[in-house]
Amino acid sequence: MKGELRYEGKAKKVFATDRPDEYVVEYKDDATAFNAQKRGTVAGKGAVNNAITAALYPRLEAAGVPTHFLERLSDREQRVRAVEIVPVEVVVRNVAAGSFSKRLGLTEGAPLARPVVEYYYKSDVLGDPLINDDTAVVMGWASEEDLATIRTLALRVRDFLTPFFEERGVQLVDFKLEFGKTPGGQIVLADEISPDTCRFWDARTGEKLDKDRFRRDLGGVEDAYQEMLRRVLGEPAGA
Ligand code: UDP
C-alpha cells in the first residue's frame, strides 16, 4: 500500500498510497538543528515521535481540532489524510525561551502574561524567517480567513496540551505546528507534535526533555525522548 516517495524532509518521509486522498508518513531517527547545519541521529526518535503524535492527535480531534491523522500503522509509520502543507510554521509560546528570549533579551523561563502566536515562513533556503499575517497573505501562502482559522486552532491546541502535560509533570514551554489544506479546502493540523517540535521542561526539576538536549549538546537525548513517551502514555497524576 506504500507507493512512491512524495517528499523527504529532515525527520520524515511521505509516501503516496493506493488512495489519492491518503499518505503514509514514515518517521526517521535523523535529527537536524540550526537550519540543518547540525546533523545527527537519535536512536529510537522516529518511533517515539510517531507514538506521541499518534497518542495526541485523536485527543486533539476530540477537543475540536481537525487533524490529518488517521491511524498508526507500525513503529515508524502512520496513515494520514493527503493535504497541501501551508508554508507557515506556527509557534505558540507559554513561556519565553529559544529564539524569542534571544530576540527580546528575555531570560529563558520568563513567564508570558498570555500565550503568544508567531508565524515563520517555512523555507530552508531563507532559514524560516519570522513573518506576520500580512506577509503571509500578500505572498499568497494563506488567506486571511485561513490564518484566522489557524490562529484559533493553534490556541485550541495550546489550551488542550498545556494542562495535558501539566498533569504529567511537564511544563509545555512552546511548540511549533504545521497546518495543511484538504482538497476540499479544510484547514487541518498536520505534521507532528513531539519532543522535536515542543519545549518540554520537567515541572519539578526544570530538566529539559526535548530537542534542546540535541541542539545544545546536553547529552541524554534518547532518554529524554523515551521519558516523554512514558509521560504521554502514562496516567495523569491527580492534578
Ligand atoms: N521549532 C520547530 N521547528 C523549527 C523551529 C522551531 O519545531 O524549525 C519549535 C522548537 O522546538 C520550539 C518552538 O518551535 O519548541 C520555538 O522555537 P524557537 O523559535 O525558540 O526556535 P529555536 O530556539 O528552537 O531556534
Side-chain angles (χ1 to χ4, degrees), residues 34 89 91 93 97-100 103 118 120 128 174-176 195-199 211-212 215-216:
F34 312 117
E89 299 192 350
V91 169
R93 303 181 185 274
S99 71
F100 188 83
R103 190 179 334 120
E118 294 177 333
Y120 295 83
D128 296 351
D174 56 31
F175 57 93
K176 184 265 299 179
D196 270 8
T197 65
C198 303
R199 283 197 170 92
K211 194 173 161 183
D212 273 346
R215 293 189 190 98
R216 303 179 187 188

Side-chain angles (χ1 to χ4, degrees), residues 102-113:
K102 208 167 178 183
R103 190 179 334 120
L104 300 174
L106 297 172
T107 314
E108 284 204 305
L112 301 173

Side-chain angles (χ1 to χ4, degrees), residues 94-98 101 106-112 171 173 199 201 208:
N94 286 323
V95 173
S101 286
L106 297 172
T107 314
E108 284 204 305
L112 301 173
Q171 183 179 25
V173 172
R199 283 197 170 92
W201 294 352
K208 296 186 198 314

